[in-house]
Amino acid sequence: MEAEAYRRYCLQSVAAAYDVVLITSEEPSWEVPYLRDCVVVSDPTDQAALSAAGRTLADRYDLAGVFTWTEWYLVPVARLARRLGLPANAPEAMQACRNKATSRALFARHGVPSAASVSVRTLAEAGAAARQIGYPVVLKPAAHAASIGVIRSDTPEQLATAFRFADQAAGLGQESTSVLVEEYLDGPEVSVECVTYRGETTVVAVTRKTVSAPPYFEELAHCVDAADPLLDVVTPVASAAIRAVGITDGVSHVEMRLVDGRPRLVEVNGRIAGDMIGHLVQLATGIDLPRAAADIACDRAPDLTPTRSSAAAIQLLYPDTSGTLHRLGFDGVNPRWLERVHFQHQVGDQLLLPADGGNMWTARIGYLITTAPTAELAQARAEQTVRRIQIDVAPRTADEPVADGLFA
């Protein structure tokens, strides 16, 4: 039930203000209390099926807007909105977000600081691109998300393994099946949570990120501080990136790295961030990003007035090794600043890290969220709570096969 664990807060917020009708890929369960109606479509990326479902709901109700927080549905939903005559970003803008090669070209055209990037199809092309850019390089699918298939190669000897890793995930892309070879941006990673209405962008928060050690880029923790001094630094570049890809309306999650203190773009995601970041924003600032997204979808100006000034952090729980989860527990009384602890795996489950063919869904055990007046204290409280969680994983044996095809 990963969707419930990470997106219930979004649906709950929207349903508090609007009657919600849902197009989904399976019969609703936890969503039912928030819905007025629902149409099940086996594959929402099937444009014909999605459009038919949208037309069914439009015949039943006077629809005011449509939007999604699911990465894979951004382009089909934009096309659906256009066909129903509802407010939305142009499908071309969502295509530009989904295809990172297109994004890089648009960043270059509009003078947005980014990374050198070459789209490749073969290992030979990847080698030529890496020599041109200079090691270390990052290889990634042109049209995927959640750091799936993203890997760093420090030397020519590492490139073949890195290319296979990225290429496997790239093959499942909807908008592109290419691999990108890119300049490694050496610096801390942040994301900028933005709201755009009728072409005007407001930056509402900065998310500081902790990522795993090379060669992978698994996100391990996030922290939002309403008073983050980086707000002034990142706002101009985030706004320029949103304009470059053509976003005119909606909530965006803009990822960048600070190289020598200056922002350089990683990507623009035309949706609310994952990993509960939107919830962190509300805990820290009081700004409700799902409600803002729904308001904009209905062509209403969102309320972006901060009502809090504090901090919130999420710690994402991963094992040290792939294997079988033998023990999982949490001791002690929960202090008020521990907002929640959630486990998405249970004893007996197989856990697979990216090095063994896994991804965030096969490796991540769960998460916890803490609050505090400052980012430093919120992060310290998160680390303190992690020490109270008991995780015991029996490592994979050397003769167990490496998992294949786990990039769904």
Side-chain angles (χ1 to χ4, degrees):
M1 298 295 287
E2 289 93 351
E4 179 180 8
Y6 290 92
R7 290 305 192 187
R8 177 189 280 271
Y9 83 94
C10 293
L11 187 54
Q12 188 173 30
S13 172
V14 175
Y18 294 94
D19 288 335
V20 177
V21 292
L22 179 69
I23 301 175
T24 182
S25 60
E26 57 188 28
E27 288 293 334
S29 53
W30 63 269
E31 302 99 331
V32 169
Y34 307 109
L35 303 180
R36 182 170 178 182
D37 203 349
C38 172
V39 174
V40 177
V41 174
S42 60
D43 180 8
T45 65
D46 181 334
Q47 191 68 59
L50 183 68
S51 296
R55 176 50 56 194
T56 296
L57 291 172
D59 289 342
R60 295 177 189 172
Y61 306 101
D62 182 15
L63 300 181
V66 58
F67 79 107
T68 182
W69 45 69
T70 301
E71 177 74 18
W72 328 114
Y73 304 161
L74 288 172
V75 176
V77 168
R79 289 173 177 155
L80 172 63
R82 175 175 283 181
R83 292 178 185 182
L84 295 177
L86 297 172
N89 286 296
E92 295 78 10
M94 295 296 95
Q95 286 270 16
C97 291
R98 289 290 302 126
N99 188 334
K100 297 175 179 63
T102 304
S103 298
R104 293 288 190 215
L106 289 170
F107 295 155
R109 184 183 308 167
H110 292 272
V112 180
S114 181
S117 178
V118 178
S119 180
V120 302
R121 292 280 184 180
T122 67
L123 176 58
E125 291 177 355
R131 289 190 295 273
Q132 173 189 331
I133 294 169
Y135 288 92
V137 293
V138 176
L139 289 83
K140 64 176 66 171
H144 222 298
S147 299
I148 294 173
V150 183
I151 188 169
R152 194 174 96 181
S153 176
D154 292 343
T155 66
E157 292 73 26
Q158 296 174 355
L159 191 67
T161 299
F163 179 79
R164 285 195 299 271
F165 180 82
D167 189 51
Q168 183 182 9
L172 299 174
Q174 294 285 332
E175 289 75 26
S176 172
T177 56
S178 294
V179 169
L180 300 184
V181 179
E182 299 194 331
E183 171 189 8
Y184 173 64
L185 301 178
D186 190 3
E189 184 170 342
V190 303
S191 65
V192 188
E193 318 314 326
C194 305
V195 179
T196 305
Y197 180 59
R198 296 186 177 181
E200 293 295 323
T201 294
T202 302
V203 170
V204 300
V206 174
T207 305
R208 307 259 186 160
K209 298 176 174 291
T210 302
V211 299
S212 62
Y216 305 106
F217 292 83
E218 289 295 311
E219 297 185 349
L220 304 180
H222 309 289
C223 188
V224 175
D225 189 335
D228 197 312
L230 278 179
L231 281 164
D232 290 339
V233 176
V234 301
T235 290
V237 177
S239 299
I242 287 171
R243 286 194 301 273
V245 297
I247 290 175
T248 58
D249 294 280
V251 175
S252 301
H253 170 63
V254 180
E255 298 182 37
M256 58 180 69
R257 284 198 167 213
L258 303 175
V259 180
D260 297 326
R262 294 188 293 274
R264 293 181 64 184
L265 257 292
V266 174
E267 62 191 43
V268 174
N269 301 280
R271 54 164 174 81
I272 298 169
D275 286 352
M276 299 293 287
I277 289 174
H279 186 57
L280 300 185
V281 171
Q282 186 163 22
L283 291 173
T285 71
I287 296 172
D288 187 338
L289 290 179
R291 171 63 187 274
D295 288 342
I296 294 168
C298 297
D299 200 21
R300 298 175 180 174
D303 183 359
L304 303 179
T305 306
T307 59
R308 301 175 190 161
S309 184
S310 59
I314 183 169
Q315 187 82 28
L316 304 164
L317 305 173
Y318 285 87
D320 293 329
T321 182
S322 296
T324 303
L325 184 59
H326 272 196
R327 184 173 61 136
L328 180 62
F330 177 61
D331 291 335
V333 177
N334 294 352
R336 285 193 303 172
W337 46 258
L338 181 57
E339 201 266 346
R340 73 182 68 184
V341 176
H342 170 77
F343 297 134
Q344 63 198 57
H345 280 284
Q346 57 189 5
V347 170
D349 285 355
Q350 298 296 310
L351 304 176
L352 283 170
L353 294 169
D356 298 314
N359 56 45
M360 62 178 286
W361 303 119
T362 65
R364 187 180 295 176
I365 297 169
Y367 64 81
L368 61 90
I369 295 175
T370 55
T371 60
T374 66
E376 292 77 11
L377 184 55
Q379 290 169 311
R381 286 172 170 176
E383 292 166 5
Q384 173 185 338
T385 306
V386 168
R387 291 192 289 271
R388 295 168 51 202
I389 296 175
Q390 298 86 45
I391 298 172
D392 181 16
V393 176
R396 293 172 66 251
T397 59
D399 59 351
E400 285 184 80
V402 173
D404 215 5
L406 290 173
F407 294 104

